[in-house]
Amino acid sequence: MRDLTRRSLLGFGFGSLILAACGSRSATSAPRDALIPTTHIDDEDELPPVPMACTAAVTARNIEGPFYKRGAPHRSVLADPDDPGERLRLTGVLQTTRCEPIGGATIDVWQANAAGDYDNDGFRFRGALTTDAKGRYDLRTIVPGRYLNGERYRPAHIHIKVRARGFAVLTTQLYFAGDPYNDGDPFIDDTLIMKHAVEGELRRARFDFVLPA
Ligand SMILES: [Fe+2]
């Protein structure tokens, strides 16, 4: 049942490639108190194991947006201790549609800070993780702030690029279940919405990326 529980946390599915831009940058952020836990993650503190079974659904692509920068430092901890924001630990595995783990791949992450701003001068809240031999990754960061896209806030999201030898680059975004701005967002794909849970002062989320074998 544990595997069923874990798989229930996954956000798999085919999605269409959306070519629109991400939206303009704004320093105006929205409150994050509407983020609510939906599923309690029963994982231990260690990295999640590779699931015993997997789905054939390839992770959906999502817009890159205008704030990607090459050259992010290799690191899995994006938040300094004095950075404002709710702490987030995001873990998961990278695998193929044949359930094969993909180790040695790069997961390039970029996101807004708690105020909804991207660091376009440096590499704050940007980092490149490397999956281990079992395809696992473990990201320590904060829940991103929202920012205005025109007259509407985009829901909190984390930008991702997955680079693995022999596979096309996957560019996507991860979203948070319970964000009131998910509904009606022009870019969101429901299969990219993460289940998450609050454990004390830490928000935990799980997402497994699947590339076509
Ligand atoms: Fe964004």
Side-chain angles (χ1 to χ4, degrees):
M1 292 305 292
R2 163 171 278 186
D3 290 323
L4 288 174
T5 302
R6 287 199 174 103
R7 274 182 283 151
S8 72
L9 299 176
L10 309 183
F12 292 140
F14 288 96
S16 59
L17 176 59
I18 302 172
L19 298 176
C22 183
S24 61
R25 176 189 182 189
S26 170
T28 306
S29 62
R32 287 175 291 109
D33 54 5
L35 290 175
I36 56 175
T38 55
T39 302
H40 186 78
I41 297 174
D42 64 352
D43 279 343
E44 62 284 350
D45 288 336
E46 301 304 317
L47 284 166
V50 176
M52 294 297 293
C54 64
T55 172
V58 176
T59 300
R61 298 180 180 277
N62 210 204
I63 57 169
E64 177 176 299
F67 302 127
Y68 175 67
K69 285 180 63 177
R70 289 187 175 277
H74 275 273
R75 59 186 175 192
S76 59
V77 179
L78 304 188
D80 291 337
D82 58 349
D83 282 324
E86 182 182 5
R87 265 47 193 172
L88 170 68
R89 182 181 183 186
L90 169 60
T91 59
V93 299
L94 171 63
Q95 60 189 0
T96 72
T97 47
R98 294 177 183 154
C99 307
E100 303 157 329
I102 305 174
T106 298
I107 298 179
D108 208 346
V109 179
W110 70 106
Q111 66 170 83
N113 64 14
D117 291 322
Y118 288 88
D119 180 5
N120 296 311
D121 299 319
F123 289 95
R124 300 285 298 129
F125 294 104
R126 299 173 185 269
L129 294 75
T130 302
T131 58
D132 71 7
K134 294 182 178 179
R136 299 176 298 187
Y137 71 94
D138 186 355
L139 174 68
R140 313 297 180 100
T141 183
I142 61 166
V143 177
R146 302 190 190 96
Y147 56 87
L148 279 172
N149 177 33
E151 297 182 348
R152 179 190 164 87
Y153 284 102
R154 291 222 63 215
H157 61 275
I158 296 175
H159 292 271
I160 301 283
K161 276 186 183 289
V162 178
R163 292 188 179 85
R165 184 182 298 272
F167 297 87
V169 175
L170 169 67
T171 300
T172 192
Q173 299 184 33
L174 301 180
Y175 300 86
F176 295 83
D179 191 313
Y181 291 89
N182 285 344
D183 290 340
D185 182 76
F187 308 113
I188 196 169
D189 182 311
D190 287 348
T191 65
L192 300 173
I193 298 174
M194 300 181 290
K195 302 295 192 300
H196 53 102
V198 174
E199 296 180 357
E201 296 183 349
L202 178 68
R203 188 173 293 269
R204 295 191 59 160
R206 167 87 187 261
F207 194 87
D208 291 356
F209 298 98
V210 180
L211 301 181

